Structure formats: C-alpha cells, structure tokens
Amino acid sequence: MFRTRFAPSPTGPLHLGHAYSALLAYDMAVAAHGEFLLRIEDIDQSRSRPAWETQIYEDLKWLGLSWPEPVMRQSERLEAYADALDDLWSRGLLYECTCRRADIAAAAAAPQEGAPMFGPDGIVYPGTCRDQAARTGPRPKNAVLRLDMARALADMAGLSFDETGVNPAHVNLSAQEILRSVGDVVLARREMGTSYHLSVVLDDAAQGITHVVRGADLFEATQIHVVLQSLFRLPTPVYHHHRLIRDGNGKRLAKRDDARAIALYRNEGKSVSEIRSLTTG
Ligand code: GLU
C-alpha cells in the first residue's frame, strides 16, 4: 500500500510551508489510492506543547485532510527507541560522548584538522570520545550516544535511495563521503533518550511509510536515515523532498514567522483553495 505521512513537531504554529508539505503528501496518497498518516514528533519535551498539538489537528482538518486514528506520537514510543539503542550498543556501534558544544568546535578547528566540516547536524564530530569511551557493560542512560560511523559502514555496500522530488534521481551513497561529511552522528540525546534521526527511521518503518514527503532541507539527512535502515534491516522508502516555501524576501519560513501561520489565514477568512494557490504560486 502506498503510504505517506506528515510529521510535524508541536513546537509552534504550522505555517504555509507545513500546509504545502501536508497537502502534497495527502494529494500524493489520494492519487495513488493509498493512505496518508499523521505523526506527532514530540520527542523534544522541553519545546513541545499540548496546545500546539491541538492546533495542528485543527489546522489540518481545516485544510481538508483526514488520517487514520490513533495518531502515532513519538513521546509514546520511547521503549522502541531504547530497544533500538540497546541493539546498537550490544553490537559495539555506539559510544558515549561527553564533549560540550564548545569542545567540539575547538577540536574541529584545531590546526591539524583543517577547516571544520559541516554536515546535516552541524560540525562533523572530530572523534574525541570515540576511542576513550567504554563500549562494554550496560548502555549508559541519560547520556549522549554517538554512532561509530566507520564501524557502522564497515559491512555495508551499495547504499542508495530513490528520490522523486526536486532533483529526481537514484541517489548512490558513498561510505567514504558519509564518513567525511556526516561522521559520528548523535543517536541519543541527553534528556531525550533518542534523536530525530533514530526516531524518524524507526517510526517511518513502524508506520509502513512507502513515500516520505518532506522539505528539501532534510535531503542531506537522508543518508543518515539510509544507514540506519541498513543497520536495522528496515526497508528504505522512496523520498520526495519538495521545494521550500519562502517569504517575500526569499527567506525560508520558520515557526517563528507567525505572520504566515495557517491559523491566521483561517481567522482572516481565507479559503483552502487560496492557501493552495499561495503555496503553489
Ligand atoms: N518533525 C520534522 C519537522 O517538523 C519533520 C521530519 C521529517 O519529515 O522527516 O521538521
């Protein structure tokens, strides 16, 4: 079954960019006689608010979307994330990182390192803790855990995914390039017990998503997701990264751009077809 999803974080109002993404995922599912699912990405409990979640449901219903219940909420999936981390830990693929942000920036900028490399998660980790941290015994809890990317990639060949969005292609990934430009990503954050990358991969698989529709800003992160799918022997969905909706100055919309919140258009009496034309114009 062809299945898409919209996966917002309840950390602010949905704006036109979200409307575009949700409508596109919905329209693609309808056209393929498939299913459109909703998932609430609320692992960041310090920023997620029930009121924003309620407003997400209201905005999406107003846009004419519907989805099967119950809605998956990441805050209810912490056990699945912990099990996956236990699995990687027992395979020696994770290590605890005790670096502070400033330590990482300083180490990455050290003269022998050359200019720091920026990947999908910011500065590529220079590896300070990689060889020092113990990897045996119980998995450290409430700790920052990084994936040992070199080890993770050791037995992997032929990593790739199909992209149908802005630049359609069969994208072949190179292990060497992933090591250089992504490195040892964080899979468990302190306080959170998981990370965006880990959760999104496990949840897309658990929901049987065949086509991931999302903004082009997440294209670079997809290589991390493909590595994780390979580690967990999960299928790789087709990815459709769409263009980003920008404001009048060409700046991409952010949650703080309340002026473009769907709720405000709604209160002004705009119609859904007007919203559709605003996002396609
Ligand atoms: N929760 C993410 C966001 O709101 C979307 C993640 C995804 O679509 O993979 O930006």
Side-chain angles (χ1 to χ4, degrees):
M1 159 96 91
F2 185 106
R3 212 177 265 121
T4 62
R5 47 70 164 181
F6 179 56
S9 301
T11 55
L14 296 186
H15 55 57
L16 277 185
H18 295 106
Y20 177 65
S21 199
L23 287 165
L24 182 61
Y26 185 82
D27 291 350
M28 281 173 67
V30 169
H33 303 290
E35 204 169 29
F36 165 83
L37 301 186
L38 178 61
R39 179 169 75 234
I40 300 294
E41 302 218 319
D42 57 351
I43 47 172
D44 187 349
Q45 285 292 316
S46 68
R47 293 170 60 223
S48 297
R49 298 282 177 274
W52 292 127
E53 187 175 327
T54 305
Q55 194 171 324
I56 288 172
Y57 299 135
E58 283 171 9
D59 286 345
L60 295 180
K61 280 186 194 146
W62 179 76
L63 286 170
L65 309 192
S66 57
W67 51 86
E69 303 275 354
V71 166
M72 179 180 278
R73 299 170 74 235
Q74 293 191 320
S75 55
E76 292 165 5
R77 301 250 310 140
L78 300 182
E79 231 177 87
Y81 308 146
D83 288 349
L85 290 169
D86 284 341
D87 173 32
L88 295 181
W89 176 260
S90 71
R91 292 157 66 184
L93 295 172
L94 298 179
Y95 63 88
E96 179 173 1
C97 178
T98 53
C99 294
R100 291 169 309 160
R101 219 175 267 266
D103 300 331
I104 296 174
Q112 68 275 17
E113 300 285 342
M117 176 83 202
F118 283 84
D121 277 347
I123 293 182
V124 173
Y125 184 60
T128 321
C129 291
R130 189 186 304 127
D131 301 322
Q132 294 159 16
R135 299 199 194 190
T136 50
R139 173 169 69 86
K141 296 287 147 61
N142 200 19
V144 174
L145 299 177
R146 288 184 181 274
L147 179 67
D148 184 330
M149 190 62 89
R151 272 202 203 179
L153 290 168
D155 302 321
M156 282 182 203
L159 290 178
S160 67
F161 66 95
D162 285 315
E163 169 66 50
T164 61
V166 194
N167 292 309
H170 180 74
V171 181
N172 288 306
L173 300 171
S174 119
Q176 232 175 1
E177 191 50 30
I178 294 176
L179 261 183
R180 192 183 73 85
S181 67
V182 178
D184 293 357
V185 284
V186 171
L187 290 190
R189 300 194 176 276
R190 222 190 305 277
E191 319 282 316
M192 236 183 245
T194 181
S195 59
Y196 160 66
H197 300 303
L198 182 73
S199 297
V200 83
V201 162
L202 296 174
D203 295 348
D204 282 335
Q207 291 193 296
I209 303 302
T210 61
H211 291 70
V212 170
V213 179
R214 61 186 180 193
D217 52 330
L218 287 167
F219 178 81
E220 290 299 329
T222 306
Q223 48 192 328
I224 302 170
H225 303 167
V226 174
V227 169
L228 292 175
Q229 283 148 7
S230 173
L231 283 176
F232 295 124
R233 301 193 189 292
L234 297 172
T236 292
V238 172
Y239 286 89
H240 188 95
H241 290 95
H242 58 72
R243 68 186 176 83
L244 300 176
I245 304 293
R246 299 182 185 275
D247 66 13
N249 301 318
K251 210 172 100 285
R252 82 177 242 239
L253 299 182
K255 288 231 163 102
R256 58 186 174 279
D257 294 330
D258 282 13
R260 309 229 164 205
I262 298 170
L264 293 180
Y265 287 106
R266 200 171 78 196
N267 293 341
E268 275 173 16
K270 286 254 186 316
S271 69
V272 176
S273 59
E274 281 173 287
I275 298 288
R276 278 188 182 265
S277 65
L278 279 172
T279 59
T280 51

